[in-house]
């Protein structure tokens, strides 16, 4: 059976959009971790953060990583903060190749400037916040990845072609 393809990267880099297209193209099943958590909690992510705190969300995220570590044949879009927990990365790598979708803060800002669904970017100056958080997390994304794909400036369709080529070149697909 095929190993999972695990997409990591900052909020708004396109993990969900790219993951869905990649899965369709290569006949994998697609799982969006945030979507599973929202379904299980019966509320949106902003509400989970407000009512129970970030730690509760992170616990749900880790539990889901445990479950997914034994799955196969999936393209998994993770939440942008999954890399904050080393155990998550160990679990996701058990049966997965981890691909980092790297994009500049400006590229990300363009994708999420009108979005209200991300509690960690709920502030006036989103671009500055993106830059700060990205600086904090940069090495976690880089060290967590088996493969990095820099997609700054690409449309999601172009990014899918590019990522497919990279994965084929690495004999993952
Ligand atoms: C988070 C990213 C979000 C979501 C939550 C926390 C983060 O997912 O899991 O709001 O800490 O970066 P996306 O990367 O899909 O936006």
């Amino acid at each position: 059976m095929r190993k999972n393809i695990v997409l990591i990267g900052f909020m708004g880099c396109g993990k969900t959009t790219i993951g869905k297209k990649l899965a369709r193209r290569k006949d994998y099943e697609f799982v969006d971790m945030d979507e599973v958590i929202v379904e299980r909690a019966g509320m949106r992510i902003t509400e989970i953060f407000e009512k129970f705190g970030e730690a509760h969300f992170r616990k749900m995220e880790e539990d889901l990583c445990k479950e997914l570590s034994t799955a196969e044949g999936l393209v998994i879009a993770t939440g942008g903060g999954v890399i904050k927990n080393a155990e998550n990365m160990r679990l996701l790598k058990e049966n997965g190749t981890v691909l980092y979708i790297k994009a500049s803060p400006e590229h990300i800002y363009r994708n999420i400037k009108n979005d209200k669904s991300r509690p960690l970017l709920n502030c006036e100056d989103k671009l500055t916040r993106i830059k700060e958080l990205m600086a904090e997390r940069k090495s976690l994304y880089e060290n967590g990845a088996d493969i990095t794909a820099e997609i700054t400036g690409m449309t999601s369709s172009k990014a899918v072609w590019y990522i497919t080529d990279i994965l084929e070149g690495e004999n993952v697909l």
Side-chain angles (χ1 to χ4, degrees), residues 11 15 34 45 49 57-58 78-81 118-120 137:
M11 291 172 266
K15 299 178 293 285
D34 284 346
I45 289 178
F49 271 65
F57 173 81
R58 297 298 175 199
T78 61
R118 294 177 168 97
L120 299 179
R137 293 177 173 185

Side-chain angles (χ1 to χ4, degrees), residues 13-160:
C13 71
K15 299 178 293 285
T16 301
T17 314
I18 293 170
K20 267 186 195 156
K21 290 185 181 180
L22 179 66
R24 200 177 312 129
R25 229 178 124 196
K26 289 290 163 181
D27 207 21
Y28 279 66
E29 205 179 309
F30 175 71
V31 174
D32 185 290
M33 288 186 57
D34 284 346
E35 210 173 276
V36 174
I37 291 172
V38 165
E39 263 168 36
R40 287 183 178 175
M43 62 185 86
R44 293 190 301 268
I45 289 178
T46 38
E47 285 176 278
I48 304 176
F49 271 65
E50 271 164 33
K51 288 203 176 130
F52 303 111
E54 180 175 349
H56 181 81
F57 173 81
R58 297 298 175 199
K59 174 73 176 64
M60 293 188 78
E61 196 172 46
E62 184 177 334
D63 289 346
L64 184 52
C65 286
K66 265 187 208 124
E67 289 173 42
L68 293 172
S69 68
T70 57
E72 44 192 29
L74 304 177
V75 170
I76 302 171
T78 61
V82 80
I83 39 78
K84 287 177 30 160
N85 179 343
E87 178 63 3
N88 288 347
M89 297 316 292
R90 192 191 65 74
L91 289 163
L92 291 169
K93 278 188 176 167
E94 271 185 17
N95 194 36
T97 302
V98 178
L99 184 131
Y100 170 29
I101 302 179
K102 187 174 179 184
S104 71
E106 291 75 15
H107 178 106
I108 282 166
Y109 177 71
R110 274 195 295 278
N111 286 346
I112 57 91
K113 60 175 185 284
N114 297 319
D115 179 274
K116 299 217 177 343
S117 70
R118 294 177 168 97
L120 299 179
L121 298 179
N122 185 16
C123 60
E124 277 296 302
D125 187 354
K126 282 195 171 52
L127 182 57
T128 300
R129 180 80 184 121
I130 290 168
K131 286 180 178 165
E132 284 166 2
L133 259 184
M134 205 185 269
E136 263 173 40
R137 293 177 173 185
K138 189 175 176 288
S139 62
L140 293 173
Y141 289 124
E142 286 168 359
N143 298 334
D146 298 308
I147 301 169
T148 297
E150 162 79 63
I151 59 119
T152 298
M154 294 185 195
T155 61
S156 62
S157 301
K158 174 88 204 317
V160 175

